[in-house]
Amino acid sequence: PYFDSVILSSVCGLRKPCAEIYDIACKDIGVAPGDCVSVADNVKRDITGAKAAGIGANILFISPEKLAKKTITDANRPDYIVHQFQEILDLPILQ
């Protein structure tokens, strides 16, 4: 009841970082990818796929300890990094 759409890789046959799974979600909710925001917890799989799909903003939700073990590249660089979920409310994209 909390989501208008849920796209499951086991049903659609696509897995992240495949950009097409994001395209399906955008079409399902009737919103252009550039007008969407992705909140993710996996740098390699989630951010890379969302960026390839043209998602407008990508937020990485990750602990500082896990982030320290990750390598950020141009391909997987999120627009924002938050360590606590409530920090999302303070991001400029929501102002």
Side-chain angles (χ1 to χ4, degrees), residues 44-76:
K44 183 178 180 183
R45 182 182 64 229
D46 299 337
I47 301 297
T48 304
K51 288 181 78 160
I55 299 298
N58 295 285
I59 302 167
L60 179 63
F61 175 56
I62 190 169
S63 70
E65 298 80 23
K66 286 185 180 180
L67 181 59
K69 298 176 185 175
K70 303 295 180 187
T71 300
I72 303 294
T73 66
D74 286 341
N76 70 10

Side-chain angles (χ1 to χ4, degrees), residues 39 59 82 84-95:
V39 178
I59 302 167
V82 297
Q84 296 182 17
F85 200 73
Q86 66 268 20
E87 293 174 31
I88 292 172
L89 299 175
D90 296 326
L91 295 177
I93 57 172
L94 295 179
Q95 306 308 314

Side-chain angles (χ1 to χ4, degrees), residues 19-35:
E20 287 82 6
I21 198 165
Y22 294 92
D23 294 334
I24 291 170
C26 291
K27 288 177 185 170
D28 199 41
I29 62 172
V31 178
D35 293 332

